[in-house]
Amino acid sequence: MNFTTKIPISKSAHPIDYHSKIVSLGSCFAVNMAEKLDFFKFENTCNPFGIIFNPISIEKLVYRITQQLFYTENDIFFHNESWHCYEAHSELSHSNKAAFLNTLNGIIEKANGQISDASHFIITLGTSWVYRNIETNEIVANCHKVPQKQFKNELLSVEIIKQTIQNSIALIHNVNPNAIFIFTVSPVRHIKDGFIENQVSKAHLIAALQTAISHLPSATYFPSYEIMMDELRDYRFYAEDMLHPSQVAIDYIWERFKETTILETTFSIMDEVETIQKGLAHRPFKANSESHQHFLSKLQDRITVVQKQFPGIKF
């Protein structure tokens, strides 16, 4: 594809390679990028507590994980036949209280080690709009279909977002001083807040990030949102809901991420991993045929070569 506008992006001073350990946090677009990292077999952990859209909820979880502040019965509630936590996504909710607490606290233990060992953190901010629980005055990550009258919707200021970004960085650096941060703003439009409100929300995130990380050599900004708005400014690059990027757009943004953030000498291994992945996904017409068995043997040889060079890669 040819594009009239291409945003200049500086190459990362701390690029990702197959020795990197990556933690991805944030909105659903973080999941899109993490799926790419998973496909190419980078060591990547994504959203241990599920998708998180706003920066304050990300900071809360980073604090809880780094401080190993375990959940108690006071941190969860029962609604619609399941136990929930306002800091976690509904996908973790459970009908059994004890099992739910065990799951949440098990995630804290595991994520603490991952944050301490990670080389890179990719943090994707989705929105400046948050829901505050009226009873507790706490901002929640997920409302879990609790009646909306129990929350008030508010817009985070640029200054508050800036401070919470800096807090998250400081918390991680306290346990992992060499951590590298890649921040981005999700290109997914939160139209439920309103068209104008969505633009204001994204503007607050971008302005806060520019001031929060501009002086930090360990942090960079990757313009996912700007690529979607300026390089892919056409509705053909959106999914059917006209809000989320289409697969073509996701692939394009990934290529821009790859060329600026991943070490070039890694590209040849990525190409080989992609070939192996496609081979593993192949469904033969005759699985027991001699030709297919020969294909599988050759494929295993390729896997062995890659794993000999990078033992951490598992297919």
Side-chain angles (χ1 to χ4, degrees):
M1 290 180 286
N2 294 319
F3 299 91
T4 55
T5 302
K6 196 164 186 179
I7 298 168
I9 309 172
S10 299
K11 287 187 177 292
S12 173
H14 307 282
I16 291 168
D17 61 20
Y18 276 107
H19 298 292
S20 302
K21 295 181 179 180
I22 307 155
V23 172
S24 301
L25 299 171
S27 75
C28 50
F29 189 72
V31 177
N32 295 144
M33 292 295 99
E35 287 173 349
K36 291 289 188 181
L37 290 166
D38 289 342
F39 177 83
F40 287 102
K41 296 300 179 180
F42 288 94
E43 189 171 347
N44 173 61
T45 300
C46 181
N47 282 339
F49 284 98
I51 294 170
I52 306 294
F53 294 98
N54 75 78
I56 285 186
S57 292
I58 291 174
E59 181 196 347
K60 281 185 177 181
L61 288 178
V62 169
Y63 179 81
R64 189 176 283 279
I65 292 168
T66 56
Q67 307 304 305
Q68 289 194 288
L69 184 62
F70 293 107
Y71 289 98
T72 69
E73 292 185 1
N74 294 329
D75 300 310
I76 63 176
F77 66 98
F78 193 74
H79 177 68
N80 282 345
E81 301 183 356
S82 289
W83 289 93
H84 308 278
C85 175
Y86 280 128
E87 295 181 7
H89 195 273
S90 297
E91 65 188 15
L92 296 174
S93 298
H94 202 285
S95 59
N96 183 280
K97 181 198 289 188
F100 184 46
L101 282 173
N102 286 337
T103 295
L104 293 177
N105 290 330
I107 291 172
I108 288 177
E109 288 186 340
K110 185 176 181 180
N112 180 270
Q114 292 167 333
I115 283 181
S116 298
D117 294 340
S119 60
H120 293 75
F121 291 82
I122 303 174
I123 300 179
T124 305
L125 305 182
T127 182
S128 302
W129 288 99
V130 295
Y131 287 90
R132 187 181 295 276
N133 187 309
I134 295 172
E135 181 181 355
T136 64
N137 202 38
E138 290 288 325
I139 289 172
V140 303
N142 196 301
C143 294
H144 300 293
K145 297 184 179 179
V146 172
Q148 290 298 296
K149 65 182 180 180
Q150 296 187 29
F151 305 92
K152 58 180 179 180
N153 195 15
E154 60 187 67
L155 181 69
L156 298 176
S157 69
V158 172
E159 185 58 35
I160 288 176
I161 298 170
K162 171 189 171 183
Q163 188 60 57
T164 198
I165 291 167
Q166 292 174 332
N167 291 347
S168 295
I169 292 173
L171 286 165
I172 292 171
H173 269 163
N174 282 341
V175 298
N176 186 345
N178 298 317
I180 301 301
F181 296 87
I182 303 162
F183 284 91
T184 189
V185 171
S186 171
V188 178
R189 298 186 300 157
H190 292 249
I191 298 304
K192 67 176 183 178
D193 298 317
F195 285 87
I196 296 171
E197 290 79 1
N198 172 71
Q199 291 298 89
V200 173
S201 167
K202 300 293 188 183
H204 279 209
L205 295 176
I206 294 167
L209 277 168
Q210 294 306 312
T211 54
I213 69 173
S214 59
H215 63 291
L216 295 177
S218 63
T220 57
Y221 179 73
F222 178 75
S224 297
Y225 177 76
E226 292 82 355
I227 291 170
M228 192 72 199
M229 293 298 104
D230 291 307
E231 294 188 30
L232 304 175
R233 49 185 173 187
D234 190 306
Y235 273 109
R236 64 197 167 107
F237 296 115
Y238 284 89
E240 290 183 1
D241 63 3
M242 295 299 168
L243 302 177
H244 291 75
S246 68
Q247 190 59 53
V248 172
I250 291 169
D251 292 344
Y252 180 83
I253 296 172
W254 164 256
E255 286 300 320
R256 295 287 272 132
F257 181 85
K258 173 185 171 183
E259 69 188 25
T260 57
T261 315
I262 297 178
L263 193 66
E264 285 187 24
T265 54
T266 303
F267 293 174
S268 59
I269 301 297
M270 292 176 68
D271 291 341
E272 183 65 6
V273 169
E274 183 175 19
T275 298
I276 292 170
Q277 291 279 61
K278 289 179 177 178
L280 291 171
H282 175 66
R283 293 292 177 263
F285 181 65
K286 294 183 177 180
N288 296 322
S289 67
E290 183 178 342
S291 61
H292 182 62
Q293 295 307 308
H294 179 72
F295 169 79
L296 292 177
S297 176
K298 290 295 184 182
L299 188 61
Q300 185 57 53
D301 290 342
R302 301 181 85 150
I303 292 173
T304 301
V305 170
V306 169
Q307 291 181 329
K308 187 174 182 180
Q309 188 174 359
F310 298 99
I313 293 180
K314 306 296 181 185
F315 289 96

